[in-house]
Amino acid sequence: MKNVELLSPAGTLRNMRYAFAFGADAVYAGQPRYSLRVRNNDFLADNLAKGIAEAHDLGKKFFLAANVIPHNAKIKTFVKDMAPVIAMKPDALIMADPGLIMMTREQWPEMPIHLSVQANTVNYASVKFWKTMGVERVILSRELSLDEIAEIRQQCPDMELEVFVHGALCIAYSGRCLLSGYFNHRDPNQGTCTNSCRWKYDTVPAEENAEGDYVPSSNSVLSMNDINDQLSTASCGGAQRHPLADNIYFLEEEGRKGELLPVMEDENGTYIMNSKDLRAIEHVHKLVEIGIDSLKIEGRTKSHFYVARTAQSYRQAIDDALAGRPFQPELIGILDNLANRGYTDGFYQRHHTHEHQNYISGYSKSHQQQFCGEITAYDVATGLADVSVKNKFAVGDKVEMILPNGNRDITVDAMFDKYGNPLQEALGGGYEVRIPLPEAECQYGLLARYY
């Protein structure tokens, strides 16, 4: 099998360095004015040049997202703004808008272009079209099944294909959401999404009044769990649709009391509640077998711990697949320790068996940890490591040392403050402590406490 690229998010230089240390072959970052991550973006001019140079020094790649769907004002400034960026020699631009792609091809014909998932490519005819436009790689839409991806690979053998395997999912069709723009006047398609789909909503029953309008019902507020419980416990007569599913409800956002948004469900579901996160590590072997060129992790606003842990886990899964080794289901449990809103494998496999669901949930519960510290220095003479505390841990705790050259479990035998005074526990984030660790390469070392 051919090599498969692991592509990690880089919202900051620090995250980029952790991604490379833990196995990523390439990273992607956003050009602030023209990407979909204007917020929390560390890659302004100086850091962008530094990041690209560091990546190339390591023999790695640095892709730059310029995948905004621009209004006229950004068209007028695009070439001028991008000229110094192109001079930094990123390995490719990730783009979605046909006009910007055309302008880039005319101005910088040698600049590789990767078609963003924002372009919503779901069929092989579109892939062939973009190849005629000079695009080198297509990032396929998240809404495709494994079988559909395999057919695209067969029909387009000479085009690089990339897919997402981990991270947040849009509640709308890959990136085409309007919620943030409607609520906050922060347009997701211009890079300023406030993740409105992930806010806390209460569900209020509605009833029709004499005028035919829907108004809040006199019944008490329901949570979506309450509604789901009623639907699941009610007798629906086989495939018959339960009447509760046809009711109208209002959504009330936590910070906007009294503003009621009508929401209804059809036979395909409800479209305004937040999505679970994508975790498709169990499908890496199949994606490698299909011949996908790059597996991509979402999360440019996530922590360096997230970047390190996802890179290490997916690197292991890719290497196992390429070497013909079986998938290690323990990786499912490792990823479950990251902050998430519940996991789904998205559209890759629509209908799971009961046995498969038990298999996934079993491993999700088998490796429970919390990120507790970052190793910042190591004194060979004393065997003590300086640790920047992220969450509480104590003497006697079992922790995992997460290192680029391999992980290991240890027990915290002792703990000291920076003055050498003994401690029994580190109380939480902001503390600096020293603990004995086995001699190791501790650069980019992280600690996670079992519980």
Side-chain angles (χ1 to χ4, degrees):
M1 296 182 185
K2 63 182 179 183
N3 287 331
V4 179
E5 175 186 274
L6 176 59
L7 178 55
S8 285
T12 67
L13 277 171
R14 182 192 207 186
N15 286 16
M16 180 198 75
R17 291 162 182 161
Y18 270 91
F20 287 146
F22 281 87
D25 300 299
V27 297
Y28 64 101
Q31 203 286 338
R33 180 167 164 80
Y34 300 99
S35 81
L36 296 189
R37 283 293 182 272
V38 172
R39 299 180 302 125
N40 304 324
N41 192 334
D42 192 38
F43 285 102
L44 303 176
D46 292 342
N47 278 353
L48 184 56
K50 187 181 297 184
I52 293 171
E54 286 188 20
H56 291 169
D57 287 345
L58 293 170
K60 309 277 189 174
K61 292 184 177 181
F62 191 108
F63 303 139
L64 190 66
N67 57 344
V68 71
I69 306 297
H71 291 217
N72 289 333
K74 289 184 179 179
I75 292 288
K76 296 170 184 175
T77 60
F78 179 74
V79 170
K80 179 182 177 182
D81 289 345
M82 290 301 293
V85 173
I86 299 296
M88 297 175 192
K89 300 188 182 303
D91 293 280
L93 295 183
I94 302 170
M95 307 185 73
D97 183 74
L100 292 188
I101 291 173
M102 177 188 70
M103 293 168 68
T104 301
R105 296 286 299 144
E106 290 174 350
Q107 190 73 23
W108 303 287
E110 302 304 316
M111 186 72 230
I113 295 174
H114 295 175
L115 188 71
S116 171
V117 72
Q118 186 78 357
N120 302 125
T121 305
V122 295
N123 62 72
Y124 58 78
S126 291
V127 174
K128 291 179 178 179
F129 165 78
W130 286 111
K131 183 174 176 60
T132 66
M133 297 294 102
V135 170
E136 286 193 2
R137 176 186 295 186
V138 170
I139 305 167
L140 296 175
S141 178
R142 292 180 175 96
E143 288 75 21
L144 293 174
S145 69
L146 290 169
D147 289 342
E148 290 172 312
I149 292 169
E151 185 175 7
I152 292 173
R153 173 78 290 168
Q154 290 298 314
Q155 293 285 345
C156 308
D158 52 352
M159 173 63 91
E160 290 185 22
L161 299 178
E162 177 179 309
V163 299
F164 278 91
V165 289
H166 198 92
L169 291 172
C170 292
I171 202 67
Y173 207 86
S174 279
R176 298 301 180 107
C177 184
L178 297 175
L179 285 180
S180 178
Y182 177 80
F183 289 145
N184 289 346
H185 307 290
R186 299 275 292 272
D187 189 348
N189 302 310
Q190 299 302 309
T192 55
C193 182
T194 56
N195 299 110
S196 305
C197 61
R198 292 173 174 248
W199 295 346
K200 180 179 180 293
Y201 294 92
D202 288 324
T203 311
V204 180
E207 59 188 13
E208 191 174 6
N209 64 16
E211 289 77 26
D213 295 325
Y214 284 96
V215 297
S217 169
S218 56
N219 295 331
S220 60
V221 172
L222 293 177
S223 71
M224 188 52 70
N225 286 334
D226 294 332
I227 295 170
N228 287 337
D229 287 344
Q230 291 182 52
L231 288 171
S232 62
T233 56
S235 173
C236 295
Q240 182 181 353
R241 183 172 170 80
H242 192 274
L244 277 176
D246 294 318
N247 289 354
I248 306 298
Y249 300 93
F250 290 107
L251 295 183
E252 183 180 44
E253 197 273 315
E254 184 178 36
R256 289 174 169 76
K257 296 297 183 183
E259 294 185 25
L260 300 179
L261 305 171
V263 58
M264 60 193 72
E265 181 176 85
D266 64 17
E267 64 275 10
N268 295 313
T270 306
Y271 298 99
I272 196 171
M273 306 300 284
N274 80 56
S275 168
K276 291 182 178 180
D277 289 338
L278 176 65
R279 179 189 62 195
I281 196 165
E282 67 268 29
H283 297 308
V284 165
H285 276 60
K286 181 63 176 177
L287 291 166
V288 170
E289 178 186 318
I290 288 170
I292 297 303
D293 296 277
S294 180
L295 302 185
K296 186 173 192 174
I297 297 166
E298 185 277 336
R300 278 179 280 164
T301 62
K302 298 282 192 177
S303 71
H304 60 294
F305 181 72
Y306 169 95
V307 171
R309 209 58 161 146
T310 53
Q312 187 181 58
S313 298
Y314 281 91
R315 174 83 275 152
Q316 184 66 58
I318 291 170
D319 289 348
D320 287 343
L322 290 172
R325 297 187 294 264
F327 171 64
Q328 298 183 33
E330 293 82 5
L331 297 173
I332 295 170
I334 290 172
L335 293 172
D336 206 51
N337 292 296
L338 300 173
N340 66 83
R341 294 179 176 268
Y343 280 123
T344 174
D345 59 349
F347 295 88
Y348 284 126
Q349 188 173 345
R350 300 293 182 94
H351 303 291
H352 294 295
T353 64
H354 181 68
E355 290 75 16
H356 180 83
Q357 291 169 344
N358 288 340
Y359 168 83
I360 296 294
S361 63
Y363 279 101
S364 292
K365 297 172 183 175
S366 66
H367 194 102
Q368 295 184 319
Q369 292 180 332
Q370 183 181 46
F371 178 32
C372 66
E374 180 177 0
I375 302 169
T376 57
Y378 185 77
D379 187 338
V380 176
T382 64
L384 294 176
D386 293 347
V387 175
S388 174
V389 179
K390 304 302 179 184
N391 285 291
K392 186 170 80 170
F393 71 104
V395 174
D397 282 347
K398 179 183 177 183
V399 302
E400 182 177 19
M401 294 175 59
I402 303 164
L403 302 169
N405 61 355
N407 302 345
R408 67 185 75 177
D409 291 341
I410 65 164
T411 298
V412 179
D413 295 324
M415 184 183 298
F416 307 92
D417 65 18
K418 60 183 179 181
Y419 304 107
N421 301 311
L423 299 171
Q424 282 302 304
E425 65 178 0
L427 296 177
Y431 283 79
E432 302 285 336
V433 301
R434 307 190 80 196
I435 62 173
L437 290 180
E439 186 171 350
E441 173 54 60
C442 289
Q443 188 178 20
Y444 303 114
L446 305 167
L447 300 176
R449 176 181 65 86
Y450 288 94
Y451 62 91

